[in-house]
Amino acid sequence: MALHRLQTPDQANMLSIPDLIQKKKRGGVLSDEEVKTFIRAVTNKTIQDCQTGAMLMAIWQKGMVVKETETLTREMMSSGEVMSWPKEWAGLVVDKHSTGGVGDKVSLVLAPALAACGCKVPMISGRGLAHTGGTLDKLESIPGFNIHQSAEQIQKILGSVGCCIVGQTEMLVPADRVLYALRDATSTVDSLPLITGSIISKKGAESLSALVLDVKFGRAALYKDLESAKELAESLVNVGNGLGIRTGAVLSCMDGTIGRCVGNSLEVIESLETLKGKGPEDLMELVTTLGGILLLMTGLVSDLPAGRERISGAVTDGAALSKFRAMMEAQGVAAEAAQSLCSAHTDYYSVLRKADHQSELTTPAEGLVSEVDGLVLAEVLHKLGAGRSKAGEPINHSVGAELLVSPGQRAERGVPWLRLHYEDPAPTPDQMNRLRDALSLGTDTQTQQKQSLVKKLLLPQ
């Protein structure tokens, strides 16, 4: 894979950083050259952290118009190396991004399913932080799986397998690495243009043909309501399309969990079960919808129902499972371990780590399961070692939970509804009480069957 660096003229001697901060602080619209000057200074480290923080706060307070956000994103994308692909892959290079959820193992099923449909998927993913899980952490629970791949290795894996799931390389979007850290330190993480720039710049550096975004809303999501999530989705779609990437989005509800398993090793097991045709309906709904949109945007199908059907077929006929096995081996997993994980009847814990302790919670009364609070579940698991509060902290891949009931299911009193997997530290009485309170039971008239997670689609015209 060829890599090229996009150069822009250095305007640092012509435009004053304090003047740019002042202009944005007063609500002015920065010109293309002014945005370039700011990002160049960030990348070249010719700007003080306090000045960068001041600009981030000014952007947080005053916002950016679409053109400003588009320029910011393009300059961030161009701050490092930009991937390029063989001509025969034109129109087929695709990826997906999720804004984070509980039990979100969609990428582990979607990437190999797309590869089985003929796409090339250079999926650059992230790690979990706070209560949200990270795709890289899930995959690293598989012994030997190497998420660190060079540009040349990525192209080689795409050529032979069709998909890979890797971490961001040092060469891609260095400006985002600086801004991301300072956004956290300056409490500007929730700025719409800065979120848009961070997400789309990294995807733009992959030189994608098409991108689909899973924008979550609900109690366990960054955005709690549909309208604010829609605003983010529209910003991402507009800027992505403005950069020449066919971009669509799905707005999906994130109150509970996706699937029945939360925690790194457990989510790998559930992903493998899904690839073997035994996955939960809500997970498959997201996989087929997101994948169907990408197949539609690449022109491999003529409409969304056909795209959904083709993705579903790749899972049910075993083609996606074969791709996942090939991807594991290409990224360092021993062939024997990969074969064992993908076999029809296997003891997953012969390969994956199993927690030392399991404990079940039982239902306090008879009733229909209304919901399980995904945020509470994720927060308790985080405290037990499944997640991290700061980048670089170690996690315990074996910690997690299995839901033993589904919304709409009738549960008798004393029936187990949650199996907790833990090691050291053991859950405290307060944490166990929080978990018990996460279960909501209702009556026949109060409780409905679990509804569709997908609430709205935003597709390019």
Side-chain angles (χ1 to χ4, degrees):
M1 167 175 51
L3 289 170
H4 58 277
R5 181 180 296 276
L6 301 184
Q7 299 285 353
T8 57
D10 190 350
Q11 303 289 327
N13 296 323
M14 301 170 57
L15 299 169
S16 161
I17 294 295
D19 287 345
L20 300 186
I21 296 170
Q22 181 86 321
K23 181 176 181 179
K24 177 47 65 178
K25 186 175 71 174
R26 292 179 174 175
V29 175
L30 300 178
S31 69
D32 288 352
E33 290 302 323
E34 289 168 335
V35 173
K36 289 179 184 179
T37 295
F38 171 60
I39 295 300
R40 294 275 295 177
V42 168
T43 305
N44 297 334
K45 298 180 171 58
T46 57
I47 184 175
Q48 299 176 51
D49 283 354
C50 62
Q51 292 176 314
T52 304
M55 178 63 88
L56 294 175
M57 183 56 70
I59 293 171
W60 182 85
Q61 289 178 326
K62 300 299 181 180
M64 283 183 152
V65 300
V66 173
K67 190 174 187 303
E68 272 182 298
T69 305
E70 191 174 305
T71 302
L72 175 76
T73 305
R74 181 180 289 108
E75 293 307 311
M76 289 172 64
M77 178 190 79
S78 305
S79 65
E81 307 292 354
V82 177
M83 295 177 173
S84 62
W85 309 107
K87 291 181 180 179
E88 57 267 27
W89 296 0
L92 297 175
V93 183
V94 304
D95 200 358
K96 158 260 181 189
H97 177 84
S98 169
T99 57
V102 180
D104 187 354
K105 70 279 294 179
V106 169
S107 293
L108 277 66
V109 181
L110 179 60
L114 286 165
C117 293
C119 293
K120 301 295 182 182
V121 192
M123 192 171 280
I124 297 178
S125 297
R127 298 193 180 278
L129 194 61
H131 78 275
T132 59
T135 297
L136 300 183
D137 297 317
K138 303 180 207 303
L139 289 168
E140 284 187 332
S141 70
I142 305 172
F145 197 101
N146 184 6
I147 58 95
H148 303 290
Q149 303 290 334
S150 69
E152 291 74 19
Q153 289 169 323
I154 290 172
Q155 177 161 329
K156 182 178 179 181
I157 295 170
L158 291 185
S160 61
V161 180
C163 63
C164 61
I165 303 179
V166 299
Q168 183 179 352
T169 70
E170 291 295 321
M171 296 182 293
L172 291 178
V173 200
D176 178 66
R177 195 172 288 109
V178 176
L179 294 180
Y180 195 90
L182 287 174
R183 281 168 59 204
D184 189 44
T186 56
S187 296
T188 55
V189 169
D190 57 346
S191 163
L192 197 65
L194 295 178
I195 293 173
T196 301
S198 178
I199 292 173
I200 301 298
S201 64
K202 291 192 284 282
K203 297 304 179 182
E206 294 177 39
S207 297
L208 300 176
S209 309
L211 169 67
V212 67
L213 302 141
D214 184 2
V215 181
K216 307 287 191 185
F217 69 94
R219 283 194 305 275
L222 176 64
Y223 289 93
K224 306 305 179 186
D225 61 273
L226 178 60
E227 283 307 308
S228 57
K230 182 183 175 187
E231 186 180 6
L232 172 61
E234 288 174 342
S235 176
L236 293 166
V237 168
N238 289 337
V239 172
N241 282 301
L243 293 182
I245 307 167
R246 286 187 62 79
T247 306
V250 169
L251 289 160
S252 63
C253 184
M254 192 70 254
D255 287 331
T257 67
I258 300 173
R260 292 193 172 196
C261 292
V262 182
N264 296 288
S265 291
L266 292 176
E267 291 188 47
V268 168
I269 293 172
E270 187 167 42
S271 299
L272 286 161
E273 286 292 288
T274 302
L275 288 165
K276 295 172 187 178
K278 297 177 283 187
E281 291 182 8
D282 57 351
L283 174 57
M284 280 302 297
E285 178 195 18
L286 286 172
V287 168
T288 57
T289 301
L290 294 164
I293 290 172
L294 285 171
L295 294 185
L296 176 62
M297 290 193 296
T298 56
L300 291 174
V301 295
S302 58
D303 55 40
L304 183 53
R308 285 193 177 109
E309 184 176 352
R310 189 162 173 188
I311 292 291
S312 178
V315 173
T316 56
D317 69 9
L321 180 65
S322 295
K323 290 292 185 182
F324 189 81
R325 176 180 171 180
M327 180 180 73
M328 283 195 290
E329 293 185 26
Q331 292 190 232
V333 178
E336 183 179 354
Q339 179 182 359
S340 177
L341 290 173
C342 295
S343 64
H345 304 287
T346 186
D347 174 13
Y348 289 111
Y349 295 115
S350 66
V351 177
L352 305 177
R353 177 177 174 180
K354 184 177 183 179
D356 292 337
H357 307 288
Q358 289 82 41
S359 179
E360 292 182 349
L361 276 67
T362 58
T363 53
E366 180 183 351
L368 289 181
V369 176
S370 174
E371 64 176 5
V372 175
D373 191 321
L375 179 59
V376 169
L377 189 59
E379 287 176 341
V380 171
L381 293 175
H382 173 264
K383 294 293 185 182
L384 295 177
R388 59 174 63 83
S389 298
K390 295 181 181 178
E393 286 183 342
I395 61 172
N396 188 329
H397 292 109
S398 70
V399 172
E402 298 173 74
L403 293 179
L404 307 177
V405 297
S406 299
Q409 177 182 335
R410 175 169 292 282
E412 303 296 329
R413 180 176 180 176
V415 171
W417 70 272
L418 181 77
R419 182 178 296 122
L420 187 64
H421 296 242
Y422 63 94
E423 292 188 339
D424 183 28
T428 65
D430 179 64
Q431 288 170 338
M432 294 298 284
N433 286 333
R434 287 196 71 198
L435 288 175
R436 291 187 184 98
D437 291 342
L439 173 68
S440 296
L441 296 174
T443 65
D444 292 40
T445 56
Q446 294 173 330
T447 307
Q448 297 179 346
Q449 294 290 330
K450 192 169 186 179
Q451 297 181 351
S452 169
L453 294 182
V454 175
K455 300 302 180 183
K456 192 174 182 63
L457 304 180
L458 299 177
L459 303 178
Q461 300 300 315

